[in-house]
Amino acid sequence: MTGLDELYREVILDHYRNPRRQGKLQGDPIHAEGSNPSCGDEFFLDLFVEDNVVTDAAMRGLGCSISQASGSMMMDMIVGKSVEELRELIQKFKVMMSISEGDSPIDEDRPGSVLGDLEALQGVRKFPVRIKCADLAWATLSEALDQTTS
Amino acid sequence: MTDLRALRSDFPILDREINGHPLIYLDSAATTQKPDSVLDAMDEYYRLYNANVHRGAHTLATEATELYEGSRSKVARFIGAEPDQLVFTRGTTTAINYIAYGWGLNHLKEGDKILVTIMEHHANLVPWQLISRYTGAELVYLELNDDLTVDTSTLDQVLTDDVAIVAFSGMSNVTGALGPIDVLAEAARSVGAISVLDGAQLVPHTPVDVADLGVDFLAFSAHKMLGPTGIGALWGKPERLEEMEPTEGGGEMINTVERNESTWAPVPHKFEAGTPPIAEAIGFGAAVDYLDAVGMDTIAAHEREITAYTLDRLSEIPDLTIYGPRDVTLRGSAVSFELGDVHPHDIATILDQDGIAVRAGHHCARPLMKYLKIPATARASFYLYNVPEEVDALVESLYKARKLFGLT
Ligand SMILES: Cc1ncc(COP(=O)(O)O)c(C=O)c1O
């Protein structure tokens, strides 16, 4: 695969075009907003957390395929997870996206991989300027989780 | 097509390869590439003439001052002005800020209006917003026609006696649309307002003579016209420059300094506090020499042709929307577009893999983006060194983007 084919995998385009959990939560959810001012990408996140577990989540986003797909994939994974589990996931995601890992091959055969669809985002590492796109939703989630402890 | 191809060898960067492809630089609206003559002029200054200007009687200082002031004369002549009407600034942004603070602070009052257009770059909006905070003035906007040129039909409603400043762009860096310079300069005069022309995209691409423009102030940047970053110019009518206060104080800009007050050096030096960017000023002079040698009429004709070709070729591509006038007499060579649901940043990444540099984003014109109801555009912009084959490569790469995103 060329770098571009790796970047724009089908699963990424699917999430970009059909983002999961789009919308707003009614009531008084935890709300966090993230943006990359230099490119204009935005990500708005609503969460309900009960007994330290995310019980519902919704997002609204605007931006490139990478930022929106990354956000949509994240939305697929967060409901039902505890705050600690999510912090761990954020950490794993960060490690996966870090440039130092950029040369490691994508292990396509690994069964039941922990990060699931998210692994499709590894192609982004070859495009360092786009890593901040993939990070946007996760930084927003991190901010929302911080609100649960305050 | 006006063939300026031979000039390409004057630009060393055009020999570069990007991602295994020859560089195709379509981002001159952001900043232009520099010819050898500009690079050499700056290098030579540091190697042979380096000294501070306007200070000291030694030979080097005299030579450096002559080079610096010589550049001022060249840049002034380039726009049909006198050297003592031309202030060196850090660029367009600084020039407009100087007008906002230096003229606006001591002339604007509560309730005054600053008339701008919705297609302005942030550089011609935010300084006016800042100065409005101090003075109680208020921004009012002209909007756009269907072809994204400025709609002057609402002038009657917005042009009231309390309009004190009319500030507008000569050419949009997003849509390429030319500003209605004559109409707005005349509108300003008719209500006793001053007119401020953002020439950042105009001066590099068309012949400009301040005597014909009819405006009070003109601002432009060297780096968008083959020169270095860090330098630009503010031209003003002599009486306007006299009315203006210096925004910065320090060395070089004074006549006498006492314990509690000072008097200013004459224009233009009263606006150039501190050691100026000397090498950059010299590079600016070399840049206008280069443009003069090619001829601004020739450059404008070349750009019209390559813009027409680009608009034609882009129109062939399914799902592609161009944001800007189709009539090349109403526009310059910055061409903004969208391609289906392929986000502009994705377009830029895909083109970059083919060595093609375009800009994606809001182009420092968020109010315009909001007005057009789009978050961002991709923009290809051209200059004298671009050739039609580069447009062909752009089109081919855009088809590749369509394919990657599964557009059929
Ligand atoms: C229309 C317009 N005005 C102002 C500017 C600001 O120029 P500079 O950043 O050189 O001060 C630019 C360049 O980005 C521009 O395109």
Side-chain angles (χ1 to χ4, degrees), chain B residues 132-170:
Chain B
S132 296
R133 281 210 222 158
Y134 297 121
T135 58
E138 182 194 338
L139 270 70
V140 286
Y141 283 84
L142 286 173
E143 298 190 353
L144 307 182
N145 296 310
D146 288 342
D147 68 354
L148 306 189
T149 55
V150 175
D151 177 7
T152 51
S153 71
T154 58
L155 256 182
D156 287 351
Q157 294 146 46
V158 288
L159 192 70
T160 50
D161 282 338
D162 42 19
V163 171
I165 297 174
V166 181
F168 58 100
S169 168

Side-chain angles (χ1 to χ4, degrees), chain A residues 1-136:
Chain A
M1 274 198 282
T2 71
L4 283 177
D5 291 324
E6 234 171 73
L7 184 64
Y8 296 115
R9 291 165 167 228
E10 230 171 272
V11 55
I12 289 186
L13 295 181
D14 176 54
H15 277 278
Y16 173 50
R17 293 201 164 115
N18 309 293
R20 319 297 197 260
R21 293 187 173 272
Q22 273 246 78
K24 258 183 176 173
L25 294 183
Q26 296 304 311
D28 187 21
I30 293 171
H31 178 71
E33 303 189 355
S35 69
N36 282 333
S38 64
C39 60
D41 287 2
E42 290 176 349
F43 196 82
F44 299 151
L45 179 64
D46 290 348
L47 289 183
F48 277 117
V49 177
E50 280 167 38
D51 296 333
N52 216 34
V53 171
V54 173
T55 55
D56 203 359
M59 64 95 134
R60 288 160 337 272
L62 196 67
C64 68
S65 63
I66 304 303
S67 69
Q68 301 309 302
S70 178
S72 170
M73 290 174 181
M74 181 183 90
M75 298 309 286
D76 251 356
M77 310 177 79
I78 59 180
V79 175
K81 287 206 170 61
S82 70
V83 171
E84 287 69 35
E85 283 171 328
L86 286 176
R87 288 201 197 280
E88 209 169 293
L89 184 62
I90 292 171
Q91 197 49 39
K92 276 189 183 150
F93 179 76
K94 276 191 184 151
V95 170
M96 182 185 87
M97 296 307 293
S98 65
I99 299 179
S100 57
E101 304 285 298
D103 296 332
S104 66
I106 296 168
D107 184 359
E108 287 176 346
D109 302 328
R110 198 164 102 231
S113 55
V114 233
L115 292 177
D117 279 2
L118 275 179
E119 300 207 344
L121 284 167
Q122 290 179 98
V124 178
R125 292 179 306 184
K126 292 215 174 94
F127 299 85
V129 295
R130 303 300 298 277
I131 289 177
K132 70 175 192 319
C133 310
D135 281 346
L136 177 62

Side-chain angles (χ1 to χ4, degrees), chain B residues 281-301:
Chain B
I282 291 167
F284 196 0
V288 301
D289 279 347
Y290 189 97
L291 293 171
D292 266 335
V294 179
M296 287 309 293
D297 285 316
T298 306
I299 292 169

Side-chain angles (χ1 to χ4, degrees), chain B residues 29-30 91-94 121 123 169 171-173 198 200-201 221 223-224:
Chain B
T92 305
T93 304
T94 307
H121 187 281
S169 168
M171 188 190 291
S172 162
N173 63 310
D198 172 353
Q201 299 293 344
S221 300
H223 72 96
K224 292 185 196 286

